[in-house]
Amino acid sequence: MGGVALARPLYFWLGFLATVAGVVLHLPMYLHGADMHYHLAGMPMDTPMAVGMALIVAGLLVTAYGLVPPGALTARPAAEVRVRALDDARMRPAHIGLIVVMSVAVVIDAMKPITLGFVAPGMAKEYGLKSALNPAGDLPVALLPLAGLTGTVLGSLLWGWMGDKIGRKPSILFAGVLFIGTAICGAMPDFGWNLAMCVAMGLGAGGMLPITFSLLAETIPPRHKGWVMVLIGGNLAVAYLAASWLSASLAPTYSWRILWLVGMPTGVFLILLNRFIPESPRFLLAHGRDEEARAIMARYGAAATAQAREEEVERVEDDHGGGYSRLFRPPFTGLTVAVVVLGLSIGLVTYGFQLWIPSNLQRLGLDQQTADRALRDSTLLGLPLILVSAAMYGLWSAKKTIVVLSALVGAALAVLSFAGETLAQDRTWLYLLLAGPIVGTAAIAAVLAAYSSEIYPTRVRSRGSGLSAGVGKLGGVAVTAVLVAGATAPSIGATALLGAVPLVLAVVAVLAFGVEPAKGSAETPVTA
């Protein structure tokens, strides 16, 4: 189905099997702790675990060798050709299949960082870490999300480079194998090893969404691309639903560690989907694999076009003066301000409110299983908002969709900031209000990703998309860094207010400076 063979399939599958075997060798240590509710802190690493770690390192190296195509560093300049779906192309069964597979990939990918919030309470208790439930602890549990977030930032840079050098499909597959390997977090007896594995997990998770959007940009017809990106990006909410459901169902019996160990079967499942993931036609053309590229373009109704000379001149002139600073100069200044404020607010809600809500609900008196079920039910209740957001973006207005979603989530956070401490007694209102920050933030993030890829001209589009993704992580770094520095563990009210204020500012900024992407061709300029 993917139409593209792996570079060295034997080495890839040998590396994959070695990585799986390495994870399996960690399971005896985990199972040995069953009588102690899987409390492994302070236990020495046994021989199978040491052998398993060696297998995982070797497996990842062999996997990488199996995925890197020969001559990957000697490609023709990618700027010579552009690939995109034809303006008049219709949605085909191949497009629907790709949307389904990429949705699964995004869910599996997003579950990794989302799981941080659900393992934090149990990890803080086992390792004696400072948290909302254990304010007298030693090291702050916020070190865990800081490590993961650092990994995602590095992963965004690494995977962007890998996607261009070795291809979109190999990059996705290597991320899947990395997910399998980092599942050993669930058996680590030492908190330091958890931090190291969390950085590695972030490396794998950081680049999946940009790679997915890049692949979709070459295959989805332009008039459908916006709502498809929103729909797939909105799977962050589905990932939250899956993580909260697993935590409520498995963690009470198998401890927080099981939430990391499920990374092995989900990673294996992603690898088994490889035959349904196509390669980027643009990448194939850049490497002289024209026949494979033509087959994929025919399947998805795409075409390759030469780069226009005028556009090359425009790019050279525009790039003079360099980097991201161009986005903050006219005529993009106001638009970029709106993107930055909105991106920061998403990061503050995601890594401020969302990350700590499992701990804060338990702090208010709910037991772990009840708190996780509340989050699961709230997510399930708000899930239709993703479909509504995709329809609003595609059929109504991108700018107005951002304003409506931001206002909705901001209002829910405002109520939670003043009444959050008492809402544990009123489950109905709690579930309704939690749906906004959980699902609504995922919807805003998806809309912003699609919006920022459409509002900037081609010559600065990559920088605009990168900026919108980067500022969200910057907001997360700011929140976690403050907590690591020793600030008091955040309450529901504090984290809700931290997200509500910038969201209100984002509404004002988008109303004042936002523009409406033109319908139709992906190259059409924006309209006011």
Side-chain angles (χ1 to χ4, degrees):
M1 289 289 181
V4 179
L6 298 175
R8 303 177 181 90
L10 177 61
Y11 287 97
F12 169 76
W13 289 112
L14 285 176
F16 164 73
L17 291 174
T19 305
V20 172
V23 176
V24 170
L25 286 174
H26 282 71
L27 295 181
M29 169 71 84
Y30 169 74
L31 296 174
H32 183 69
D35 293 340
M36 302 176 288
H37 194 57
Y38 306 97
H39 190 288
L40 306 181
M43 294 181 65
M45 290 189 180
D46 56 17
T47 300
M49 180 177 285
V51 173
M53 293 185 75
L55 276 175
I56 290 171
V57 173
L60 290 172
L61 292 174
V62 174
T63 295
Y65 179 73
L67 287 173
V68 176
L73 301 180
T74 59
R76 299 201 301 264
E80 293 179 2
V81 67
R82 174 185 295 119
V83 175
R84 65 183 180 92
L86 299 174
D87 290 344
D88 58 351
R90 296 181 178 181
M91 291 290 282
R92 305 178 178 184
H95 294 125
I96 303 302
L98 180 61
I99 291 171
V100 171
V101 172
M102 290 294 95
S103 295
V104 172
V106 168
V107 169
I108 292 173
D109 171 76
M111 282 176 62
K112 312 308 172 188
I114 287 173
T115 298
L116 292 170
F118 292 95
V119 302
M123 185 176 285
K125 181 179 180 181
E126 180 169 342
Y127 292 113
L129 306 173
K130 183 177 181 180
S131 70
L133 298 173
N134 185 29
D138 187 12
L139 294 172
V141 73
L143 282 170
L144 189 71
L146 183 62
L149 188 59
T150 300
T152 62
V153 172
L154 296 175
S156 296
L157 301 174
L158 176 63
W159 253 246
W161 177 83
M162 284 180 59
D164 288 335
K165 289 297 182 181
I166 72 172
R168 312 286 193 247
K169 179 173 180 175
S171 299
I172 291 173
L173 293 180
F174 190 76
V177 177
L178 193 57
F179 292 160
I180 296 170
T182 54
I184 61 174
C185 281
M188 289 291 105
D190 182 74
F191 180 59
W193 277 107
N194 271 282
L195 292 180
M197 290 296 102
C198 202
V199 172
M201 177 273 294
L203 285 174
M208 182 72 80
L209 202 58
I211 286 177
T212 297
F213 284 166
S214 296
L215 190 55
L216 291 172
E218 297 181 19
T219 54
I220 300 297
R223 67 176 182 270
H224 297 292
K225 188 178 72 171
W227 69 262
V228 168
M229 291 176 68
V230 173
L231 190 63
I232 290 184
N235 279 296
L236 297 176
V238 178
Y240 198 95
L241 175 65
S244 58
W245 175 76
L246 288 170
S247 184
S249 302
L250 301 179
T253 303
Y254 302 103
S255 88
W256 59 270
R257 295 180 176 276
I258 193 66
L259 300 179
W260 287 137
L261 292 172
V262 296
M264 182 175 72
T266 56
V268 169
F269 183 62
L270 179 58
I271 297 302
L272 295 179
L273 289 175
N274 86 86
R275 64 191 301 267
F276 300 101
I277 301 174
E279 183 50 271
S280 159
R282 183 171 182 263
F283 171 83
L284 294 173
L285 290 170
H287 286 262
R289 297 160 66 180
D290 296 2
E291 185 176 345
E292 294 171 280
R294 283 194 295 269
I296 293 176
M297 288 189 291
R299 184 182 311 136
Y300 293 99
T305 58
Q307 195 79 278
R309 180 175 179 82
E310 293 80 4
E311 187 177 287
E312 289 295 329
V313 174
E314 184 180 38
R315 178 184 291 105
V316 172
E317 292 176 350
D318 186 77
D319 281 349
H320 184 72
Y324 285 90
S325 63
R326 181 66 187 91
L327 300 176
F328 293 90
R329 299 200 300 269
F332 309 121
T333 307
L335 184 59
T336 300
V337 167
V339 168
V340 167
V341 173
L342 188 59
L344 282 173
S345 66
I346 292 171
L348 291 172
V349 176
T350 301
Y351 295 99
F353 184 85
Q354 280 190 21
L355 185 64
W356 301 108
I357 193 62
S359 298
N360 279 323
L361 289 180
Q362 294 181 48
R363 185 183 184 184
L364 294 181
L366 278 66
D367 60 65
Q368 181 258 319
Q369 191 171 35
T370 302
D372 291 343
R373 283 176 176 170
L375 294 171
R376 177 200 64 191
D377 294 344
S378 294
T379 308
L380 193 59
L381 183 67
L383 212 55
L385 183 61
I386 298 299
L387 299 175
V388 173
S389 300
M392 289 168 62
Y393 189 96
L395 301 176
W396 181 43
S397 162
K399 177 179 176 180
K400 293 175 183 176
T401 299
I402 291 177
V403 170
V404 170
L405 290 175
S406 300
L408 177 66
V409 176
L413 286 169
V415 174
L416 285 165
S417 66
F418 294 105
E421 303 292 339
T422 62
L423 283 173
Q425 310 303 320
D426 190 337
R427 301 292 173 82
T428 301
W429 276 108
L430 179 65
Y431 288 12
L432 286 171
L433 290 170
L434 286 177
I438 294 172
V439 180
T441 304
I444 296 172
V447 168
L448 179 61
Y451 186 68
S452 60
S453 72
E454 293 185 312
I455 55 176
Y456 290 105
T458 302
R459 63 188 185 274
V460 294
R461 182 168 294 161
S462 293
R463 277 171 282 176
S465 297
L467 181 68
S468 70
V471 292
K473 294 183 176 70
L474 179 62
V477 169
V479 172
T480 51
V482 168
L483 295 174
V484 168
T488 305
S491 64
I492 288 180
T495 55
L497 188 61
L498 189 65
V501 172
L503 273 174
V504 172
L505 294 177
V507 170
V508 175
V510 172
L511 284 173
F513 305 116
V515 295
E516 193 66 46
K519 304 296 182 182
S521 172
E523 303 303 322
T524 308
V526 296
T527 58

